[in-house]
């Protein structure tokens, strides 16, 4: 063998060793005489283990071995160098696993001098790659997010079903068109910058922006972009994933509203609890005074007293018991109002009702000049809970009676769907800044009133009617709606 032949043979051996396919050389009997490094990796047998063994019994499944031997013999009997073609067959590795391979057979020589070169191309990787591509395609198509691929100048290459649903363009319509069809006019520069980043091999991670659908409607999306490279590593395209933020925005908004509602309910519950504690403390304080008077009078009577002292103590006992009874009645009414007391509206004459309450007040304080004036009022009267309105007017007139010098005036005026009943007197009026405080529970500004619940109850009753009770420089004003009947049904 010449030096040139040896160099050529050595070069061929290096090519075989570096080849990605398994190359096996067998003699005319099918016995292995050469076994490439890739054959070791593919079939699991080292060269020293494979050399000298029959190829058919080593790597061919038993049911196919005779067929393989006949094929070798047929090729060997063909004159001259022969290429047996490529066939997809099954082979077996050292562990008994069946491998799909593509086999190419070359025969050199004839008869006793015949040798075979068999090239085995492992189809496992190819099949796995194909299956992986199928899985990837299925994932892209089934994704809930639009997945788009484009060239580096923005020409659409692929377009999944979610992109169709969000943007309104079918795959046939959009592939080959510009991705700028879904980019609003103000976002063109942003998209161009992102495509430039793709060309440089950079990524865009979760950037929130706006996209435009075929209908012209816009959608908020979170964009992620990645460069697509070819086998040489060069960037050739861009992958775009747009996540529609509409639903997440709605969920976030709903959660915010729910959280706010819960916080408001909690704050209201805490306020109600605190108000209840204050109410109970104030009620206990108010009840303590008449109960103390009742106890003192009862103890004195038990000790035994006669004459005028006995009569005085009995009068004190009756007075304090009445005071406690009025307080308990007021507390019960406050509790009913807090629970949402339902009124019983009936047609009533508000002017006549005011006149009745004025007559009652004058019988208690005949030295006062009490007048009733009224302007044009609704025809047919009003629909009100007469008992509740009487209680409001009685409270206002009793309050005026205690503070008036010589005159009380009741004025009824209709204005803007309401009827105002103003009760004022010629007394000193409320101190500045006390206009709201006077309506708080258990507040008695001058100490000459009752338990400080009358005005609080009156305001609650007015508001239950859909009206209000307030104080200004002209005195107290009871405001009642003329359409209460419509509101109550």
């Amino acid at each position: 063998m010449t030096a040139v032949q040896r160099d050529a043979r050595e070069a061929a051996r290096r090519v075989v060793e570096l080849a990605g396919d398994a190359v096996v050389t067998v003699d005319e009997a099918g016995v292995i005489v050469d076994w490439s490094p890739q054959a070791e990796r593919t079939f699991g047998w080292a060269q020293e283990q494979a050399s000298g063994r029959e190829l058919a019994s080593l790597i061919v499944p038993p049911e196919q071995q005779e067929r393989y031997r006949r094929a070798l013999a047929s090729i060997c009997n063909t004159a001259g160098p022969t290429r047996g073609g490529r066939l997809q067959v099954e082979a077996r590795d050292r562990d008994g696993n069946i491998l799909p391979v593509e086999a190419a057979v070359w025969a050199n020589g004839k008869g006793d001098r015949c040798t075979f070169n068999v090239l085995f191309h492992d189809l496992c990787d190819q099949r796995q790659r194909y299956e992986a591509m199928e899985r990837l395609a299925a994932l892209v198509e089934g994704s809930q997010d639009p997945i788009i691929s484009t060239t580096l100048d923005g020409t659409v290459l692929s377009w999944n079903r979610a992109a169709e649903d969000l943007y309104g363009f079918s795959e046939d319509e959009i592939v080959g068109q510009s991705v700028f069809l879904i980019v609003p006019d103000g976002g063109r520069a942003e998209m161009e910058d992102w495509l430039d980043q793709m060309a440089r091999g950079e990524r865009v991670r979760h950037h929130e922006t706006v996209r435009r659908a075929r209908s012209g409607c816009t959608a908020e999306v979170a964009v992620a972009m990645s460069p697509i490279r070819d086998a040489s590593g060069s960037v050739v395209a861009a992958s775009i994933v747009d996540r529609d933020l509409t639903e997440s925005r709605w969920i976030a908004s709903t959660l915010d509203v729910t959280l706010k509602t819960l916080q408001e309910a909690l704050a209201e519950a805490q306020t109600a609890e605190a108000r209840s504690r204050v109410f109970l403390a104030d009620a206990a304080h108010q009840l303590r005074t008449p109960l103390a008077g009742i106890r003192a009078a009862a103890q004195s009577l038990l000790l035994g007293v006669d004459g005028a002292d006995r009569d005085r103590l009995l009068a004190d006992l009756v007075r304090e018991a009445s005071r406690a009874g009025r307080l308990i009645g007021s507390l019960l009414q406050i509790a009913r109002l807090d629970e949402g007391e339902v009124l019983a509206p009936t047609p009533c004459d508000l002017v006549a009702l005011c006149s009745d309450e004025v007559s009652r007040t004058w019988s208690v304080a005949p030295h006062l000049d009490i007048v009733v004036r009224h302007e044009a009022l609704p025809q047919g009267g009003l629909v009100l809970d007469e008992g509740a309105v009487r209680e409001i007017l009685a409270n206002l007139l009793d309050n005026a009676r205690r503070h008036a010098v010589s005159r009380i005036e009741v004025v009824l005026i209709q204005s803007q769907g309401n009827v105002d009943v103003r009760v004022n007197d010629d007394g000193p009026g409320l101190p500045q800044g006390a206009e709201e405080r006077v309506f708080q529970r258990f507040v008695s500004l001058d100490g000459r009133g009752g338990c400080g619940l009358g005005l609080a109850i009156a305001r609650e009753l007015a508001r239950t009617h859909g009206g209000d009770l307030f104080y200004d420089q002209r005195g107290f004003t009871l405001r009642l709606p003329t359409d209460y009947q419509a509101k109550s049904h």
Side-chain angles (χ1 to χ4, degrees):
M1 182 182 296
T2 65
V4 173
Q5 290 174 326
R6 284 194 301 272
D7 290 344
R9 184 171 182 178
E10 183 61 27
R13 178 176 291 276
R14 285 198 299 270
V15 170
V16 168
E17 290 177 350
L18 294 173
D21 294 327
V23 179
V24 181
T25 302
V26 299
D27 60 15
E28 72 283 356
V31 175
I32 298 169
V33 297
D34 201 0
W35 184 265
S36 72
Q38 183 60 38
E40 294 185 359
R41 290 188 288 271
T42 300
F43 299 111
W45 298 96
Q47 183 176 14
E48 59 271 18
Q49 294 172 320
S51 296
R53 297 182 63 176
E54 184 192 20
L55 180 62
S57 61
L58 185 67
I59 67 168
V60 178
E63 65 274 11
Q64 299 181 24
Q65 289 178 8
E66 286 304 319
R67 178 186 172 192
Y68 170 79
R69 294 185 183 106
R70 287 195 300 270
L72 285 184
S74 175
I75 295 173
C76 188
N77 292 328
T78 303
T82 303
R83 179 178 179 180
R86 290 179 175 269
L87 300 173
Q88 288 191 8
V89 296
E90 290 183 341
R92 183 178 59 179
D93 66 9
R94 182 174 181 176
D95 296 327
N97 299 313
I98 301 300
L99 309 175
V101 296
E102 185 180 61
V105 182
W106 286 266
N108 293 299
K110 184 179 179 182
D112 295 343
R113 295 185 300 277
C114 185
T115 60
F116 302 90
N117 295 316
V118 187
L119 183 145
F120 293 101
H121 177 67
D122 187 359
L123 297 178
C124 286
D125 290 342
Q126 181 177 336
R127 179 179 294 178
Q128 290 170 356
R129 286 194 297 271
Y130 177 74
E131 291 174 350
M133 290 176 64
E134 284 190 323
R135 288 194 297 270
L136 179 60
L139 287 172
V140 170
E141 189 61 23
S143 172
Q144 298 299 310
D145 295 325
I147 300 178
I148 306 163
S149 64
T150 71
T151 62
L152 295 178
D153 64 358
T155 301
V156 177
L157 299 174
S158 66
W159 184 266
N160 73 341
R161 180 64 59 83
E164 291 186 6
D165 294 340
L166 182 59
Y167 299 124
F169 293 98
S170 68
E171 184 178 15
D172 293 339
E173 291 173 322
I174 199 70
V175 170
Q177 301 296 319
S178 174
V179 75
F180 288 97
L181 285 173
I182 63 170
V183 177
D185 296 337
R188 186 176 185 88
E190 178 184 61
M191 189 66 182
E192 289 174 345
D193 289 342
W194 290 347
L195 290 172
D196 289 342
Q197 290 183 50
M198 296 300 102
R200 296 193 299 269
E202 301 172 2
R203 293 174 176 265
V204 174
R205 301 179 186 275
H206 194 85
H207 186 94
E208 294 186 8
T209 188
V210 177
R211 288 285 181 260
R212 179 178 58 200
R214 183 176 189 170
S215 63
C217 298
T218 57
E220 293 184 65
V221 297
V223 178
M225 294 180 64
S226 302
I228 300 174
R229 302 177 185 272
D230 61 13
S232 67
S234 300
V235 177
V236 294
S239 171
I240 306 172
V241 179
D242 291 343
R243 171 153 293 179
D244 185 7
L245 297 177
T246 303
E247 184 175 358
S248 61
R249 290 276 195 270
W250 177 82
I251 292 173
S253 176
T254 302
L255 289 175
D256 287 343
V257 171
T258 302
L259 178 60
K260 183 178 179 181
T261 302
L262 290 173
Q263 289 174 335
E264 290 175 350
L266 177 61
E268 184 177 348
Q270 291 172 338
T271 301
E273 182 183 0
R275 188 167 58 243
S276 296
R277 287 198 299 267
V278 172
F279 176 79
L280 290 173
D282 289 341
H285 176 74
Q286 292 292 332
L287 281 170
R288 185 179 295 117
T289 301
L291 289 178
I294 292 172
R295 183 186 300 110
Q299 288 175 342
S300 297
L301 289 170
L302 287 173
L303 292 175
V305 291
D306 298 320
D309 289 338
R310 182 175 180 277
D311 292 340
R312 178 181 57 78
L313 289 173
L314 287 173
D316 289 346
L317 188 63
V318 171
R319 183 180 64 253
E320 294 301 332
S322 298
R323 181 180 177 185
R326 290 194 302 271
L327 177 57
I328 291 172
S330 296
L331 292 175
L332 291 174
Q333 186 164 16
I334 283 286
R336 289 194 299 269
L337 289 170
D338 285 345
E339 291 177 359
E341 181 176 11
V342 178
L343 301 181
T346 58
C348 67
D349 186 339
L350 187 59
V351 175
L353 196 154
C354 289
S355 298
D356 286 348
E357 289 302 315
V358 165
S359 297
R360 181 193 62 80
T361 304
W362 184 79
S363 66
V364 177
H367 63 285
L368 294 177
D369 180 18
I370 308 175
V371 298
V372 178
R373 295 191 297 106
H374 60 84
E375 300 177 6
L377 295 177
Q379 295 295 322
L382 300 176
V383 177
L384 302 167
D385 186 312
E386 183 175 336
V389 175
R390 280 188 181 278
E391 185 168 354
I392 298 171
L393 292 173
N395 190 283
L396 295 178
L397 287 167
D398 285 345
N399 184 75
R401 175 178 57 79
R402 289 195 300 270
H403 297 90
V405 176
S406 62
R407 181 179 176 82
I408 299 175
E409 187 177 51
V410 179
V411 183
L412 287 80
I413 303 173
Q414 182 180 5
S415 63
Q416 298 180 350
N418 298 305
V419 173
D420 288 351
V421 181
R422 296 176 184 166
V423 179
N424 54 68
D425 59 71
D426 59 354
L430 293 179
Q432 186 175 3
E435 293 84 354
E436 281 299 313
R437 185 165 175 263
V438 72
F439 294 105
Q440 294 178 5
R441 298 175 181 182
F442 301 109
V443 171
S444 180
L445 297 180
D446 57 6
R448 293 191 297 166
C451 58
L453 287 175
L455 288 174
I457 291 174
R459 171 176 272 189
E460 289 295 327
L461 288 172
R463 289 180 174 178
T464 303
H465 270 92
D468 204 355
L469 177 63
F470 55 89
Y471 180 87
D472 58 24
Q473 59 185 357
R474 294 172 296 185
F476 288 95
T477 298
L478 168 63
R479 177 161 293 168
L480 296 170
T482 59
D483 60 345
Y484 176 69
Q485 185 176 24
K487 291 181 179 181
S488 62
H489 292 282

